[in-house]
Amino acid sequence: MKALKIILKTLDSALTLLISIVLLTLGGYSLYAIWDNAQIYAAVDQVQAQLLELKPNEDSKDNGESFEKLRKINPDVCAWLTLDNTKIDYPVLKGSDNLTYINKDVYGNFAMAGSIFLDSGCDSSLCQHYSLLYGHHMENHKMFGDLDLYKNQTFFNENRTGTLYLPERSLKLEILACFLLPADDENIFEPQRWNGQKKGLLDFAEKKAVYIHKDLAEKIADKEMQTQCLAMSTCSSEFTAARTVVLAVLREG
């Protein structure tokens, strides 16, 4: 009986020790995860701060000097995107495929946050009727996290502008619609589908958008303005493989 008590006591001590080790391990991992996450966000801030010094000047008609400096860092820089009243203010890159910059920053370094990049099937001049950009969804207003703001109707209604800077000119950006779509929706994620036409894309927007600026849609439908469209996509959590997509119209400044 005494021996049994000793065995049970030993087992109890061993179990207590094991639980303590597991809890310490989990605690250590949690602290590491918090630290690692903070490092990822800090890296985004650091890279953005460096690049903002090279951002094209909105008052300048020639962006060549800025792009010359940006392309010395990385020749894949093809544009700079700014969405007003958001923290989206980044260079746009185009890689050889859609995996090139998914986890790589503008300097070519590994980065979980990746870069804002143009679909590899689009022309790097962004002169086609329809172009598509991707960016990671991140909290704290990083990368394309602020596309979520457009899912709020008040924000969508009140914030309609931005700028796409290209080496030879700047284009004004007008928000047309906001969508919540599956990642395999061919209407958005097959860019070649809409090059050479606009009516089908406008019809799709009117049917499927969560929100749409009808006044702008009417101008496009009535051919009052030349239409060149830019879609911006990021991950969303509403359902499996959900994507938040903001569609904008580009026009000469």
Side-chain angles (χ1 to χ4, degrees):
M1 190 70 178
K2 185 176 180 180
L4 179 60
K5 288 182 178 181
I6 293 173
I7 292 172
L8 291 174
K9 186 176 181 180
T10 301
L11 289 173
D12 183 63
S13 298
L15 181 61
T16 300
L17 178 61
L18 178 61
I19 291 172
S20 298
I21 291 172
V22 170
L23 290 174
L24 286 171
T25 301
L26 290 175
Y29 178 78
S30 297
L31 289 173
Y32 171 77
I34 292 171
W35 174 84
D36 186 56
N37 194 57
Q39 293 297 107
I40 292 171
Y41 282 86
V44 175
D45 286 338
Q46 182 178 11
V47 170
Q48 187 181 23
Q50 293 168 351
L51 294 174
L52 281 171
E53 297 180 3
L54 306 178
K55 176 183 174 180
N57 188 326
E58 63 182 29
D59 297 324
S60 174
K61 294 183 179 180
D62 183 8
N63 301 324
E65 184 178 350
S66 292
F67 275 91
E68 183 178 354
K69 293 177 181 178
L70 286 165
R71 285 173 168 171
K72 283 182 179 179
I73 296 172
N74 191 325
D76 287 342
V77 174
C78 59
W80 186 292
L81 175 70
T82 301
L83 296 185
D84 296 335
N85 298 320
T86 77
K87 297 296 184 181
I88 296 174
D89 203 9
Y90 298 101
V92 176
L93 297 99
K94 182 188 175 184
S96 57
D97 57 48
N98 286 340
L99 296 178
T100 304
Y101 288 105
I102 197 166
N103 287 130
K104 187 187 293 185
D105 66 22
V106 69
Y107 295 101
N109 300 321
F110 175 79
M112 289 297 294
S115 299
I116 304 304
F117 62 94
L118 178 67
D119 187 282
S120 60
C122 297
D123 192 285
S124 57
S125 67
L126 284 94
C127 63
Q128 296 171 303
H129 172 66
Y130 177 81
S131 300
L132 172 63
L133 302 182
Y134 301 96
H136 282 304
H137 181 278
M138 298 183 70
E139 296 178 355
N140 301 325
H141 308 283
K142 311 301 183 198
M143 304 312 289
F144 264 0
D146 270 1
L147 289 185
D148 276 358
L149 295 173
Y150 294 95
K151 292 190 287 189
N152 177 287
Q153 188 168 16
T154 299
F155 185 90
F156 178 83
N157 290 339
E158 295 177 356
N159 296 275
R160 304 178 59 162
T161 59
T163 305
L164 184 72
Y165 299 93
L166 300 171
E168 68 284 356
R169 68 192 192 283
S170 298
L171 298 174
K172 293 299 181 183
L173 184 153
E174 293 185 60
I175 302 298
L176 172 62
C178 178
F179 303 85
L180 186 63
L181 299 167
D184 60 355
D185 192 303
E186 61 184 15
N187 294 286
I188 291 296
F189 300 106
E190 292 185 9
Q192 296 78 12
R193 181 181 179 88
W194 301 120
N195 286 324
Q197 64 159 309
K198 68 176 183 180
K199 187 177 185 305
L201 181 58
L202 182 59
D203 288 344
F204 173 75
E206 290 176 334
K207 291 177 182 177
K208 296 295 184 180
V210 177
Y211 303 118
I212 186 168
H213 289 299
K214 292 185 178 180
D215 58 335
L216 182 56
E218 288 172 359
K219 287 182 180 180
I220 297 170
D222 293 339
K223 299 182 180 180
E224 291 182 19
M225 60 185 297
Q226 186 73 23
T227 50
Q228 183 182 346
C229 297
L230 179 71
M232 297 157 280
S233 171
T234 194
C235 296
S236 196
S237 60
E238 280 83 354
F239 52 87
T240 302
R243 297 292 184 269
T244 297
V245 178
V246 174
L247 182 65
V249 173
L250 300 173
R251 59 179 176 79
E252 294 290 340

